[in-house]
């Protein structure tokens, strides 16, 4: 048996890391393939270094472009690699263009596909990720749903129950493993803040960054929240957001302090010690919930409603008043919720299920 493990972007590297380690522990052969969708050191290499991952066996270096161009380049490159390596199953994680391209290519070459983080739906079809989620789930042979709620969504869409396995989310595996290192990784003196004396914000979704009105309202909401909570907001900027802020000629100031994208350990340490987190990221909503730090989500919908159901997260959209009001409410909540995303054993379970499937095929 040989697995093809695919990554392309920052969150996929983080969430596939436990799968790579589980393969090594269980001596399951695998070929590690990177599409190169993310390529800047701070979105790519730093994660391999900090998480002590092997270098990919293949890197297609597709880089950025329009979505059709990016996906086409991936499909072309992946066909060559899959034909040369002939993996028995391809594992993809999440909802990016990398996931869509790898799933499609494997399926067309009659290679079974396992989708990790299956069954998430925001029900907002304007998000490129939502269409990727729907397509990948419907062409996958094995669907690893993080929660029972995700399994129910898949069943409702007509996916045969024998293909679906509730495994938890591998984000928890990585967080549990790395938290002790992460807690030592932040230099609060250099940042000029004290533990619990700051908030964190991240914004990178195109529906926020590419819409000036929404982005302006988010920054206004963050400033108002910072003033009323009397906390500075540290904001590691995704390159997409940095470019946009610069092209609009906006300046971030003392209430919102821009930082470069952080490494995983530094960012996990920053999250763990934050008083509150503002984000439009999927992975950050999950990590905030696991770390028991209240989260205000800067979107109108989420495909992670489990974190809202347990009381860890609220949706504030891109509405300045609502962002500040949600912050004032969430900062006082009792941080005793249950983590709905699993126990930290997801990767081992995924590998076991994939191995059984391939044995009995
Ligand atoms: C992608 C995923 C998104 C995921 C995010 C994780 C899709 C459709 N989007 O969004 O689901 O949440 O990754 O961060 O797959 N750039 C760099 N360096 C890089 C990569 C990108 O500077 O290494 C800049 C380029 O200007 C590029 C822009 O960021 O045009 C956007 O990159 P892209 O990969 O298209 O999408 P993300 O916004 O990163
Ligand atoms: N992350 C990081 N540094 C940062 C911002 C995020 O290491 O400056 C990590 C974060 O801890 C999480 C992942 O990147 O594991 C989330 O990625 P992102 O927000 O880019 O994408 P999404 O999860 O929304 O797809």
């Amino acid at each position: 048996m040989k697995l093809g493990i695919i990554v392309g972007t920052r969150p996929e590297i983080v969430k596939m890391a436990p799968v790579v380690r589980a393969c090594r522990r269980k001596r399951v052969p695998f070929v590690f393939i990177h599409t190169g969708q993310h390529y800047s050191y701070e979105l790519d290499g730093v994660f391999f270094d900090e998480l002590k991952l092997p270098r990919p066996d293949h890197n297609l270096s597709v880089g950025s472009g329009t979505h059709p161009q990016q996906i086409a380049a991936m499909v072309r490159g992946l066909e060559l690699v899959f034909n040369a390596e002939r993996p028995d199953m391809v594992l993809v994680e999440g909802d990016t263009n990398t996931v869509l391209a790898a799933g499609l290519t494997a399926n067309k070459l009659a290679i079974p596909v396992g989708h990790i983080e299956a069954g998430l739906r925001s029900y907002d079809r304007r998000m490129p990720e939502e269409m990727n989620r729907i397509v990948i789930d419907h062409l996958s042979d094995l669907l690893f749903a993080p929660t029972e709620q995700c399994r129910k969504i898949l069943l409702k869409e007509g996916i045969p129950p024998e293909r679906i396995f509730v495994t938890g989310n591998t984000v928890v595996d990585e967080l549990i493993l790395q938290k002790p290192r992460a807690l030592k990784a932040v230099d609060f003196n250099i940042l000029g803040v004290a533990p619990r004396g700051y908030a964190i914000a991240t914004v990178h979704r195109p529906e926020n960054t590419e819409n000036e009105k929404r982005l302006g309202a988010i920054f206004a909401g963050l400033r108002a929240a910072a003033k009323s909570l009397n906390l500075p907001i540290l904001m590691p900027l995704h390159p997409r957001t940095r470019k946009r802020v610069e092209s609009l000629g906006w300046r971030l100031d003392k209430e919102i302090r821009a930082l470069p994208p952080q490494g995983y350990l530094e960012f996990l340490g920053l999250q763990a010690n934050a008083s509150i987190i503002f984000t439009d990221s999927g992975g950050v909503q999950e990590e905030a919930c696991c770390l028991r730090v209240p989260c205000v989500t800067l979107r109108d919908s989420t495909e992670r409603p489990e974190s809202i159901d347990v009381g860890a997260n609220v949706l504030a959209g891109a509405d300045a008043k609502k962002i500040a009001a949600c912050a004032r409410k969430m900062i006082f909540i009792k941080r005793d919720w249950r983590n709905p995303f699993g126990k930290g054993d997801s990767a081992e379970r995924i590998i076991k299920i994939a191995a059984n499937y391939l044995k009995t095929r």
Side-chain angles (χ1 to χ4, degrees):
M1 163 168 106
K2 177 160 85 170
L3 297 176
I5 299 182
I6 317 297
V7 295
T9 65
R10 166 166 82 179
E12 294 165 71
I13 302 167
V14 170
K15 290 173 173 177
M16 272 302 193
V19 178
V20 169
R21 281 195 211 98
C23 282
R24 285 178 141 185
R25 259 195 320 273
K26 300 280 168 201
R27 300 186 190 285
V28 174
F30 66 95
V31 55
F32 194 19
I33 304 165
H34 193 334
T35 62
Q37 179 173 343
H38 281 179
Y39 45 87
S40 303
Y41 179 75
E42 51 202 16
L43 294 191
D44 174 27
V46 65
F47 295 92
F48 286 88
D49 291 346
E50 288 194 352
L51 304 183
K52 301 186 175 131
L53 291 173
R55 293 290 138 182
D57 301 297
H58 302 270
N59 191 328
L60 305 177
S61 302
V62 298
S64 307
T66 66
H67 286 195
Q69 278 167 6
Q70 197 177 48
I71 292 165
M74 289 175 191
V75 169
R76 256 196 308 276
L78 287 167
E79 177 173 15
L80 297 175
V81 173
F82 289 169
N83 278 334
E85 294 281 359
R86 294 308 308 176
D88 297 296
M89 168 171 269
V90 159
L91 292 180
V92 294
E93 195 290 328
D95 54 20
T96 63
N97 287 346
T98 291
V99 170
L100 175 70
L104 267 179
T105 312
N107 178 267
K108 296 295 172 197
L109 295 174
I111 300 170
V113 176
H115 181 213
I116 302 174
E117 208 175 75
L120 277 68
R121 296 290 182 271
S122 66
Y123 299 106
D124 178 355
R125 291 169 74 96
R126 290 167 305 177
M127 285 180 84
E129 291 85 357
E130 181 74 354
M131 302 319 292
N132 292 348
R133 290 179 197 124
I134 293 168
V135 175
I136 190 67
D137 281 341
H138 284 261
L139 62 69
S140 289
D141 300 273
L142 290 181
L143 294 97
F144 302 109
T147 67
E148 188 56 36
Q149 229 159 308
C150 297
R151 189 177 82 92
K152 286 196 182 124
I153 288 175
L154 295 168
L155 289 173
K156 228 166 115 188
E157 291 183 11
I159 309 263
E162 61 275 16
R163 286 198 209 153
I164 311 170
F165 298 86
V166 178
T167 57
N169 194 310
T170 58
V171 79
V172 183
D173 303 28
E174 200 56 21
L175 184 146
I176 291 174
L177 177 70
Q178 305 294 356
K179 197 174 161 194
R181 289 174 72 209
L183 291 176
K184 293 188 212 141
V186 183
D187 190 332
F188 289 102
N189 287 331
I190 289 185
L191 289 167
V193 293
R196 296 266 180 247
Y198 64 92
I200 289 284
T202 76
V203 175
H204 78 285
R205 303 235 91 87
E207 63 264 31
N208 285 333
T209 57
E210 306 315 301
N211 180 328
E212 189 177 339
K213 206 167 144 216
R214 281 185 74 91
L215 194 60
I218 287 173
F219 279 115
L222 292 177
R223 274 201 188 91
K227 278 190 193 144
S228 80
L229 304 180
N230 196 22
L231 291 174
I233 298 182
L234 306 183
M235 187 167 192
L237 289 183
H238 187 287
R240 176 199 280 289
T241 316
R242 174 171 293 280
K243 267 193 206 156
R244 186 72 179 140
V245 168
E246 282 171 4
S247 75
L248 290 165
W250 293 354
R251 284 196 23 213
L252 303 183
D253 42 32
K254 62 177 187 339
E255 275 115 22
I256 306 173
R257 301 187 195 159
L259 297 177
Q262 300 290 295
Y264 177 76
L265 296 176
E266 293 78 3
F267 190 67
L268 194 63
L270 278 173
Q271 288 188 88
N273 285 296
S275 290
I276 187 165
I277 295 175
F278 301 88
T279 194
D280 65 2
S281 156
V284 176
Q285 288 176 65
E286 292 158 352
E287 288 167 350
C289 185
C290 298
L291 293 165
R292 295 225 169 85
V293 179
C295 183
V296 175
T297 292
L298 307 167
R299 289 176 44 191
D300 304 322
S301 62
T302 180
E303 57 294 314
R304 274 94 174 166
E306 295 88 344
S307 60
I308 295 184
D309 296 343
V310 299
N313 188 10
V314 282
L315 290 178
D319 174 332
K321 279 201 185 123
K322 203 164 169 194
I323 293 168
C326 286
R328 284 192 294 269
K329 181 182 134 207
M330 292 300 281
I331 197 108
F332 293 117
I333 57 163
K334 214 163 155 213
R335 303 169 172 219
D336 60 356
W337 55 78
R338 175 185 66 81
N339 163 20
F341 296 115
K343 298 193 183 76
D345 57 357
S346 304
E348 290 235 344
R349 290 165 70 184
I350 288 167
I351 294 304
K352 212 165 144 194
I353 294 162
N356 277 344
Y357 172 85
L358 290 173
K359 244 187 260 159
T360 53
R361 256 183 109 223

